[in-house]
């Protein structure tokens, strides 16, 4: 039996209860080991594909209650990621994933023993033998040249068994033009964006709590979502009481899988998930329908140096395509002068070998003041740091920093004076001392000396800061300590620290704005011992324990 002995206090603001995840088992959950399969093709066509994708030769390995459909319209999956409907694959009963998260070990210990046959592809990802396979496989032909779909992977292995039981899953694609390391020359589309790293328990997590404390070196933390299991054998509110939350103890953010295919050619898809090493604690994956092709129309902004030479526009159409450009050319690519077309849109219509067309619109622009080489955001226990580097600057006055909780409505935070003119670039750095809970979006406003402004791409970061308890880092403390409190709105509060005898050794009263307030204190000013930390506001009183070594 796995031992669980870790405590992590992490909180979210509670949402209004609106609904619950709806799950339906494939064929009502009847049949074993892939039978019956007569309804698989209409099942896939209805829930995963769209017109222009033809499915054939569908099979399923596993018990039929390991496959089903979901409707997440009234859950946090829709609120946060736009997940509505699709299919679900799980190592146990898909009905288990209906929330809220009332049970930290929803599958129980050895509660389900299904198919114990190993799978070479999943074995390679897990680094161990797998069990309880759920594998949906089929052939398909697409009229388009690109397929995309979104997925969320979740598990009851989180957070206790990170780096111990690496439950895997994969979307294995094989066919013409595909060459990969998996069966039949397949590639795995279920990877960390921008990498070849498979998504699994060990590669996406917030650290492991199996040692009694969360390991700080989490893996790809920005893709992990905490769901109310602090790792101490319990689940906490609002995750265990609000029906908008699902059962998985942790899961990934929405990740997109994408691949280029040849229209009219037959490809094979293998969607698979399994338990690693044992049968305990379910894992699963939700796939948002449809198995979508690239949208027919795209718009791309092309920022170019207007004082430089020509640039090439290349829509990367598939072999056998024809092209019609708004400039009159009919070649796959064209060369243009950005200064001649600055502020204009150049359009190309691409017709593939299956006689399907799509349009790409290129909006040509010249950077106003600075070229951003990199823009990175880093989470810290009590703050968020923003680092960016310019490749060059021309008459650049300043950089303005903006933040948003929805990616649409931004608030101005501060500004940083720019170097002004340079061909070698410069590095810049600021710290957001009052970061928001949940997902935050940041962007840079690049302001020229003449007052013109252009904006960088958005960057996002996720934080799981509590509005229910006090956040103390480190604890125990030796030379310094940070005490954090998350306010749901602007409010007056009092921070008090008392010793074991009840004597007040520190107190401050102030008005704090919405977000996280951090008090950074010199721990050497306190005698060694145990202290009570209290934050009192008009609406609540929060307490926690601080140990000074």
């Amino acid at each position: 039996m796995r031992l669980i002995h870790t405590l992590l206090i992490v909180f979210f603001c509670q949402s209004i209860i609106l609904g619950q995840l709806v799950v339906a088992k494939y064929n009502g959950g009847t049949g074993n080991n892939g039978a019956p399969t007569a309804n698989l093709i209409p099942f896939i066509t209805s829930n995963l594909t769209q017109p222009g994708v033809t499915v054939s030769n569908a099979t399923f390995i596993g018990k039929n209650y390991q496959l089903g459909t979901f409707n997440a319209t009234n859950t946090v999956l829709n609120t946060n990621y736009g997940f509505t409907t699709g299919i679900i694959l799980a190592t146990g009963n898909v009905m288990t994933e209906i929330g809220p998260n009332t049970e930290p070990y929803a599958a129980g210990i050895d509660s389900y023993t299904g198919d114990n046959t190993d799978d070479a592809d999943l074995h390679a990802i897990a680094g161990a033998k797998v069990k309880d396979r759920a594998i949906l496989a089929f052939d398909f032909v697409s009229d388009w040249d690109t397929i995309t779909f979104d997925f969320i992977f979740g598990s009851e292995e989180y957070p206790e068994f990170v780096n111990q039981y690496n439950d895997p899953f994969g979307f294995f694609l094989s066919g013409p033009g595909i060459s990969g390391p998996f069966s039949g020359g397949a590639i795995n589309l279920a990877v960390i964006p921008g990498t070849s790293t498979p998504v699994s328990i060990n590669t996406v997590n917030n650290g492991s709590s199996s040692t009694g404390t969360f390991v700080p070196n989490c893996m790809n933390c920005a893709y992990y979502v905490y769901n109310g299991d602090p790792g101490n054998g319990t689940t906490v509110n609002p995750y265990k009481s609000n029906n908008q939350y699902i059962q998985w103890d942790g899961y990934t953010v929405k990740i997109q899988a994408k691949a280029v295919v040849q229209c009219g050619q037959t490809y094979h898809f293998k969607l698979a998930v399994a338990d690693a090493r044992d049968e305990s604690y379910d894992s699963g994956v939700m796939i948002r329908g449809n198995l979508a092709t690239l949208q027919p129309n795209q718009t791309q902004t092309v920022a170019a140096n207007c004082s430089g030479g020509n640039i090439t526009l290349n829509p990367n159409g598939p072999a056998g395509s024809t092209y019609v450009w708004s400039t009159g050319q009919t070649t796959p690519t064209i060369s243009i002068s950005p200064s001649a077309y600055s502020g204009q849109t150049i359009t190309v219509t691409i017709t593939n070998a299956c006689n399907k067309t799509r349009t790409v619109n290129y909006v040509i622009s010249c950077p106003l003041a600075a070229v951003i080489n990199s823009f990175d955001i880093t989470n810290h226990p009590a703050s968020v740091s923003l680092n960016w580097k310019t490749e060059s600057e021309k008459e650049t006055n300043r950089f303005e920093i903006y933040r948003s909780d929805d990616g649409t409505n931004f608030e101005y935070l501060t500004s940083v004076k720019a170097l002004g003119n340079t061909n070698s670039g410069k590095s810049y750095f600021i710290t957001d001392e009052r970061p928001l809970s949940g997902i935050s979006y940041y962007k840079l406003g690049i302001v020229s000396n003449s007052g013109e402004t252009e904006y960088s791409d958005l960057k996002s970061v996720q934080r799981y800061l509590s509005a229910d308890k006090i956040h103390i880092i480190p604890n125990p403390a030796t030379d310094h300590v940070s005490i954090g409190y998350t306010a749901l709105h602007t409010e007056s509060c009092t921070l008090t620290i008392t010793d074991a005898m009840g004597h007040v050794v520190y107190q401050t009263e102030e008005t704090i704005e919405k977000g996280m307030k951090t008090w950074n204190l010199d721990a050497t000013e306190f005698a060694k011992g145990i202290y009570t930390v209290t934050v009192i506001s008009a609406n609540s009183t929060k307490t926690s324990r601080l140990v000074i070594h």
Side-chain angles (χ1 to χ4, degrees), residues 346-408:
I346 296 176
T347 299
V348 58
T349 300
I350 307 167
T351 303
N352 69 10
C354 297
N355 203 34
K356 299 295 183 179
T357 61
R358 63 184 177 96
T359 300
V360 180
N361 301 302
Y362 294 98
V363 180
I364 312 300
S365 68
C366 297
L368 296 175
V371 176
I372 302 297
N373 186 45
S374 63
F375 178 27
D376 300 304
I377 299 179
T378 305
N379 248 331
H380 302 289
S383 64
V384 168
S385 63
L386 288 76
N387 301 268
W388 67 97
K389 183 177 181 180
T390 58
E391 182 177 313
S392 62
E393 298 179 26
K394 182 180 180 181
E395 297 296 317
T396 311
N397 181 271
R398 66 188 182 277
F399 299 95
E400 296 179 340
I401 294 86
Y402 296 85
R403 184 183 66 192
S404 170
D405 60 3
D406 61 9
T408 301

Side-chain angles (χ1 to χ4, degrees), residues 16 55 84 90-91 136 169 182 210 233 325 330 358 381 420 432 528:
I16 299 174
V55 175
T84 51
T91 61
L136 178 64
F169 80 108
F182 298 99
S210 61
W325 295 85
T330 57
R358 63 184 177 96
D432 183 358
K528 295 181 179 180

Side-chain angles (χ1 to χ4, degrees), residues 19-23 70-72 74-75 77 97-99 243 246 286:
Q20 191 171 34
L21 180 69
V22 177
V23 177
F70 71 86
N71 186 325
N74 295 315
T75 72
L77 300 184
E97 312 317 333
I98 299 174
N243 284 347
I246 61 175
M286 293 181 180

